[in-house]
Amino acid sequence: MELRTLTIKKTHEGLSKKEFSAVELTNSYLEKIEKENKSINSFLTVCKDSALSQAKEIDKKIEKGQRLSLLAGAPGAIKDIILVEGVKCTAGSKILENYIAPYDATCIKRLKDQGIVILGKTNLDEFAMGSSTENSAFEATKNPIDLTRVPGGSSGGSTAAVAADFCLFALGSETGGSIRQPASFCGVVGLKPTYGAVSRYGLIHFASSLDQIGPITKTVEDCRIVFNVIKGKDELDSTSVESKVSSSKSQVAGLRIGVPKEYFVEGTDPEVIKLVKRAIKKYEENGAKVEEISLPHTEYALSCYYIIAPSEASANLARYDGIKYGFSKVKNQESKAKTLMDVYLQSRGEGFGEEVRRRIMLGIYSLSSGYYEAYYVRAQKVRTLIKKDFDKAFEKVDVIFTPTSPTPAFKLGEKTKDPLQMYLSDIFTAPVNLAELPAISIPCGDIGGLPVGLQIIGKPFEEEKIMDIAQIFEKGYS
Ligand code: GLN
């Protein structure tokens, strides 16, 4: 039996029936990582010893005949911006190169309570700022489907790990598309939950009003299993909430699908449009009602996102001062730092990479007196308009279908010289974060072997609905 291609349920069955042990399962993933991670660079840290001892614990439970939860013994990979107690957490940055997490993020605690095995921490764009994982301080991750291409970003290490069969499931984080866009590039499933659906406690902050943690998996069913464990109110994150939305099974017959005209325009690869339209047609053939809708403020979404996200980031990243966390020029023997200001400037100047410094400068500028009203406050107003576009659309439709990304995976190095080109990768995903909505990306075909993602956007806290709808496609339409 090929252990690494099983779903979570099948893995659970195999473990429960003693067809293989949790240690065997973990070892099969670890061996694969050992052999192939060098060429993909998906993992920054592999937790071999702790993974094996977590697996042993599960085997003991199996021996004793104890009932296992679905995720017991399931080997997972965690984006290196989510804290796992006792394990290095770099956020892809030199400034946190030696930072050891002092506690578990809430989502990690919840997954550990279910008995998961943590295989390691995965690569990302520094502080999750990027769309290709090329902004990592620890070298780019490569797309397992084509090693000359990016896996997308910023959760590229996690999506590559799932696509390469390095793990059964992974966690990523989103601010403007960082789960969905790389999921689409790697041909896997990625869910961005409603803002507040999953606790952010223990997630290193990028832009706090947009950030969310979410699952990356091979199937929608697996995605649902992981999401149901990590979701829900957490006393340690005041923005987290318990969803009250009921989750009766959704049907395709009578489903009202909105297709926003602003998302099917020039600039998007025509082959991507073709595949997404083909997927929509399948739903229509099975009784869904497809309706063109308009989200008129879409054209302002990226400008709005690239003011709000850097502004919040500049405030959040002020804590890395060379004193409290990680990399510090003051501790370095050859340091030329004479004053406290020198320590700040040199530690931040050398500790942060180019894209992070660019965003800090942008953010500080738009928050500074004299510009605050013109940029930050105005961007917040535009954010409200974008949100209202979705509210209005959802009066008429149940879900919204779009491409996840305008192109399939691009070549390594293709967009690194031009940050604006890179920012365009988020054109279909960032509006969803601004509007705080849930959305899932699922594979809907490929262009010459390169996967293309279909994005399904739902009303707040309707994760179950969009997963139901996505699962129907996965099971029968593709
Ligand atoms: N690519 C976007 C950015 O660079 C989104 C990143 C993310 O979702 N973390 O900001």
Side-chain angles (χ1 to χ4, degrees):
M1 187 187 317
E2 186 59 273
L3 298 187
R4 293 180 308 268
T5 57
L6 301 176
T7 61
I8 292 177
K9 274 194 182 153
K10 289 274 177 231
T11 303
H12 170 75
E13 262 172 47
L15 285 171
S16 309
K17 291 187 189 149
K18 298 194 191 169
E19 285 165 11
F20 47 85
S21 71
V23 167
E24 275 165 359
L25 177 72
T26 300
N27 265 327
S28 99
Y29 281 106
L30 287 171
E31 279 158 22
K32 175 106 173 152
I33 295 168
E34 205 159 296
K35 255 206 286 181
E36 292 171 29
N37 188 51
K38 267 187 241 78
S39 58
I40 294 175
N41 196 32
S42 158
F43 280 89
L44 294 177
T45 304
V46 178
C47 308
K48 187 174 177 180
D49 295 341
S50 56
L52 285 170
S53 64
Q54 284 159 354
K56 267 184 205 139
E57 285 306 308
I58 299 301
D59 283 338
K60 275 189 210 153
K61 286 191 178 165
I62 297 172
E63 275 318 306
K64 284 191 206 143
Q66 291 178 8
R67 257 183 81 87
L68 295 183
S69 77
L70 267 181
L71 280 168
I78 313 296
K79 185 178 183 181
D80 205 20
I81 196 164
I82 300 170
L83 305 192
V84 177
E85 189 181 345
V87 179
K88 206 157 75 169
C89 193
T90 66
S93 179
K94 183 172 167 186
I95 213 156
L96 288 176
E97 196 169 16
N98 299 313
Y99 175 66
I100 308 283
Y103 58 87
D104 280 329
T106 297
C107 60
I108 297 298
K109 193 175 171 309
R110 289 181 180 176
L111 287 166
K112 279 186 175 171
D113 288 345
Q114 300 295 309
I116 65 153
V117 168
I118 296 180
L119 294 168
K121 306 294 297 292
T122 56
N123 202 9
L124 67 154
D125 288 297
E126 186 174 3
F127 286 100
M129 297 176 190
S131 307
S132 66
T133 319
E134 292 168 296
N135 293 338
S136 167
F138 309 108
E139 291 182 16
T141 298
K142 297 183 182 112
N143 192 321
I145 290 158
D146 176 347
L147 296 178
T148 67
R149 291 179 188 267
V150 302
S154 64
S155 311
S158 283
T159 53
V162 173
D165 289 333
F166 288 167
C167 59
L168 183 49
F169 71 94
L171 288 186
S173 71
E174 271 254 3
T175 306
S178 274
I179 289 175
R180 288 162 289 158
Q181 184 257 21
S184 124
F185 281 16
C186 292
V188 298
V189 175
L191 173 73
K192 181 258 162 202
T194 312
Y195 185 77
V198 177
S199 168
R200 289 178 295 113
Y201 183 72
L203 169 68
I204 294 179
H205 307 298
F206 167 7
S208 308
S209 78
L210 300 159
D211 297 342
Q212 268 294 287
I213 293 170
I216 295 163
T217 53
K218 285 178 207 165
T219 67
V220 179
E221 180 188 70
D222 286 358
C223 177
R224 194 192 297 269
I225 293 170
V226 177
F227 174 67
N228 280 326
V229 171
I230 63 175
K231 71 173 187 188
K233 172 88 189 142
D234 171 22
E235 291 307 321
L236 298 169
D237 173 4
S238 60
T239 61
S240 68
V241 286
E242 200 65 55
S243 160
K244 291 189 189 73
V245 174
S246 68
S247 54
S248 55
K249 264 261 170 283
S250 303
Q251 308 279 335
V252 173
L255 180 77
R256 296 170 304 168
I257 297 175
V259 180
K261 60 171 190 244
E262 293 80 1
Y263 283 57
F264 292 81
V265 288
E266 222 178 294
T268 299
D269 187 328
E271 292 295 314
V272 168
I273 294 190
K274 226 196 251 168
L275 287 170
V276 171
K277 286 202 166 154
R278 189 183 73 179
I280 294 170
K281 190 119 191 70
K282 293 272 186 195
Y283 283 90
E284 202 172 17
E285 284 163 10
N286 284 278
K289 289 197 197 80
V290 177
E291 190 174 329
E292 184 177 88
I293 55 164
S294 175
L295 300 167
H297 295 92
T298 300
E299 64 174 301
Y300 306 110
L302 273 188
S303 324
C304 171
Y305 173 84
Y306 277 100
I307 291 173
I308 292 174
S311 298
E312 293 183 15
S314 72
N316 276 328
L317 269 55
R319 76 193 69 198
Y320 306 105
D321 55 6
I323 303 216
K324 201 167 169 192
Y325 294 99
F327 178 79
S328 172
K329 283 313 272 182
V330 79
K331 290 183 195 145
N332 187 327
Q333 292 289 305
E334 300 103 58
S335 165
K336 294 192 189 73
K338 301 276 179 295
T339 65
L340 182 61
M341 189 53 87
D342 290 344
V343 172
Y344 291 156
L345 295 178
Q346 290 178 21
S347 305
R348 288 169 67 83
E350 281 185 41
F352 289 134
E354 195 182 341
E355 182 61 24
V356 174
R357 295 201 303 274
R358 179 182 296 120
R359 303 237 186 155
I360 291 174
M361 285 194 290
L362 276 171
I364 288 175
Y365 181 82
S366 49
L367 291 178
S368 58
S369 82
Y371 296 104
Y372 178 77
E373 298 284 336
Y375 292 100
Y376 186 71
V377 172
R378 187 163 298 173
Q380 289 292 9
K381 289 181 179 162
V382 174
R383 181 175 184 171
T384 305
L385 294 174
I386 290 169
K387 230 172 161 164
K388 284 192 175 152
D389 281 354
F390 280 103
D391 289 347
K392 204 163 155 230
F394 279 127
E395 285 170 10
K396 292 199 294 184
V397 298
D398 305 309
V399 283
I400 296 173
F401 279 34
T402 78
T404 305
S405 171
T407 64
F410 45 87
K411 291 265 185 198
L412 285 151
E414 191 179 319
K415 299 191 185 201
T416 40
K417 300 264 153 14
D418 184 354
L420 287 180
Q421 272 303 314
M422 193 70 94
Y423 296 172
L424 281 172
S425 303
D426 309 321
I427 193 148
F428 300 145
T429 47
V432 175
N433 301 67
L434 290 167
E436 306 184 358
L437 301 170
I440 193 166
S441 178
I442 55 166
C444 70
D446 66 274
I447 305 173
L450 297 176
V452 169
L454 164 71
Q455 170 167 244
I456 305 178
I457 308 169
K459 297 179 191 170
F461 299 102
E462 292 203 340
E463 282 84 1
E464 286 298 331
K465 174 173 246 147
I466 57 174
M467 287 190 284
D468 283 349
I469 302 302
Q471 205 165 347
I472 293 168
F473 183 81
E474 182 185 73
K475 280 202 174 138
Y477 294 0
S478 46

